[in-house]
């Protein structure tokens, strides 16, 4: 239904994730961040969140920071809606 509508407002937002390694080495960091990315993507991608909005579109995620103990990753999302 919403795919045929024209919305007048756009909304962009970014989800940030910080993963801490629970075991030594970078593989623990990768495992943690990839698990978080999968959960968030599965939950948000093409979701309307029960609102009168276009389904959420996902932009290209990127690693923001990696240290020996944490990884920071961000994924941009966008949608559009009416301001009524």
């Amino acid at each position: 239904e919403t795919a045929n509508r024209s919305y007048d407002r756009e909304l962009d937002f970014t989800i940030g994730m910080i993963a801490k390694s629970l075991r030594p080495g970078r593989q623990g960091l990768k495992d943690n961040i990839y698990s978080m990315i999968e959960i968030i993507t599965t939950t948000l991608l093409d979701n309307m969140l029960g609102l009168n909005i276009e389904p959420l579109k996902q932009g290209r995620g990127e690693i923001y920071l990696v240290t020996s103990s944490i990884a920071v990753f961000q994924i941009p999302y966008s949608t559009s809606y009416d301001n009524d």
Side-chain angles (χ1 to χ4, degrees):
E1 175 185 341
T2 59
N4 297 328
R5 291 204 48 192
S6 174
Y7 291 92
D8 62 358
R9 299 281 185 157
E10 292 185 12
L11 175 68
D12 298 316
F13 63 96
T14 301
I15 302 289
M17 296 163 272
I18 301 172
K20 181 177 181 180
S21 182
L22 300 177
R23 54 189 166 153
R26 288 191 176 230
Q27 188 59 45
L29 273 176
K30 286 181 180 180
D31 292 346
N32 290 347
I33 200 75
Y34 290 136
S35 293
M36 292 170 66
I37 291 167
E38 182 178 347
I39 291 167
I40 289 174
T41 298
T42 301
T43 302
L44 294 180
L45 185 61
D46 292 325
N47 195 326
M48 294 171 37
L49 306 173
L51 303 170
N52 188 24
I53 62 174
E54 282 289 312
L56 294 173
K57 303 288 184 246
Q58 181 178 309
R60 184 170 186 222
E62 66 178 308
I63 296 171
Y64 186 75
L65 172 71
V66 176
T67 70
S68 60
S69 59
I70 66 166
V72 180
F73 193 84
Q74 57 189 20
I75 303 174
Y77 285 88
S78 64
T79 187
S80 52
Y81 65 97
D82 281 330
N83 199 30
D84 308 352

